[in-house]
Amino acid sequence: MVALGSSFAAGAGISPIIDRHANRSASNYPHLVAGAIGAHLTDVTISGATTETILRKPQRVGLRRLAPQMESFPPHADVDLVTVTAGGNDLRYLGTLISVAYSSWLEARPATRMWGRRLRAAVVASPPTQQDVETAAEGLASIVEAIHERAPSTRVLLVNYLTVIGPDTAPSRAAPFTYSELNVFRRIAGQLREAFAMAEGSSAAELVDVASMSETHGLGSADPWVQGFAPRSTRQAALFHPTLEGMRAVAGAVVDHIGSVNRR
């Protein structure tokens, strides 16, 4: 098994972190899936990755340049399963959530109020376009194509993103947004789901739709599977990212998908 992707696959902020440059956890969903199905795992996920840094562009993390993830793909065809979770950074999804949350925090303080307002307005004013969605979809489909060039018979699962802002999420300390901003984030999440659906339709991959599965587990729900905003937290990389419970839910969905398709 090989795992490719960004922080929603790498498990940013979830202990234990086994690669601090990649912010990769030993409790991310690829590790949990591999353990459940008895697979040998090559996990090259990196927090902050885009479809381009998975395919061909080195990723800068601090002073380091990390090679494209596909360069670490096993050099033989003996790969049965590949999971891919990427595209969120292509659409600036998590970056927008975090920037607006911190802008709200700055606005609440007289000394930084004006700075926070300007940052907030600038971030919300540039949502992803339909062209951005199509480009992200093409990036995902290109990853699938590159995988099959190396391992023609391998099974590729596109695993999309857990819901962060659910249909009933309201402004709160964990989600310090206006109702208008919440709608912006729901729209971006919908665009990300669209990109995955387009990639599935244009490639030989299967979609594991954890976004739909987790709609009732967003921020403000009785059982959120993602971390809310906590500006003074020592685990800043985990803000708005999956919790361990969320990773377990994603792993369960992937294992169930593998089993259900195998039984057809």
Side-chain angles (χ1 to χ4, degrees):
M1 175 180 168
V2 177
L4 307 171
S6 63
S7 55
F8 268 53
I14 299 175
S15 296
I17 297 297
I18 55 175
D19 187 324
R20 66 182 183 87
H21 297 294
N23 202 352
R24 183 187 306 136
S25 170
S27 295
N28 62 15
Y29 86 75
H31 278 82
L32 299 177
V33 170
I37 65 176
H40 172 77
L41 174 65
T42 299
D43 184 358
V44 294
T45 57
I46 302 173
S47 295
T50 64
T51 56
E52 190 175 17
T53 63
I54 291 174
L55 280 168
R56 65 183 68 88
K57 181 180 178 180
Q59 182 176 340
R60 186 172 292 280
V61 178
L63 298 177
R64 289 178 172 262
R65 284 167 59 90
L66 305 183
Q69 292 178 33
M70 286 302 300
E71 290 190 9
S72 299
F73 199 91
H76 50 78
D78 187 22
V79 176
D80 300 305
L81 178 71
V82 181
T83 58
V84 181
T85 299
N89 293 316
D90 298 52
L91 299 185
R92 307 180 297 281
Y93 181 38
L94 270 297
T96 302
L97 275 165
I98 292 170
S99 295
V100 174
Y102 271 107
S103 299
S104 175
W105 186 65
L106 292 170
E107 275 192 69
R109 287 148 181 78
T112 55
R113 183 166 295 150
M114 186 59 67
W115 184 31
R117 286 176 180 171
R118 289 177 178 175
L119 177 60
R120 192 173 200 162
V123 172
V124 176
S126 303
T129 65
Q130 185 59 32
Q131 181 58 56
D132 292 329
V133 175
E134 293 172 4
T135 300
E138 290 168 2
L140 287 167
S142 295
I143 292 170
V144 178
E145 181 180 358
I147 291 166
H148 282 144
E149 286 176 357
R150 290 162 174 77
S153 61
T154 196
R155 186 174 181 182
V156 182
L157 304 185
L158 296 174
V159 183
N160 61 15
Y161 286 61
L162 283 175
T163 296
V164 179
I165 305 299
D168 299 320
T169 301
S172 66
R173 292 183 67 180
F177 311 116
T178 65
Y179 281 103
S180 176
E181 288 165 349
L182 289 172
N183 286 332
V184 169
F185 298 135
R186 291 186 185 102
R187 185 161 59 249
I188 298 174
Q191 290 175 308
L192 186 53
R193 290 170 69 170
E194 180 185 357
F196 271 85
M198 291 170 64
E200 180 197 27
S202 62
S203 70
E206 304 164 33
L207 176 63
V208 183
D209 187 9
V210 302
S212 294
M213 175 196 74
S214 60
E215 281 189 339
T216 59
H217 293 275
L219 294 177
S221 68
D223 182 22
W225 287 344
V226 290
Q227 174 70 45
F229 184 60
R232 299 187 188 279
S233 170
T234 58
R235 297 171 62 244
Q236 293 296 300
L239 299 182
F240 305 120
H241 281 75
T243 60
L244 178 57
E245 291 75 15
M247 279 296 181
R248 288 170 175 162
V250 175
V254 172
V255 172
D256 288 347
H257 178 89
I258 294 169
S260 65
V261 174
N262 283 342
R263 288 191 293 269
R264 290 177 185 173

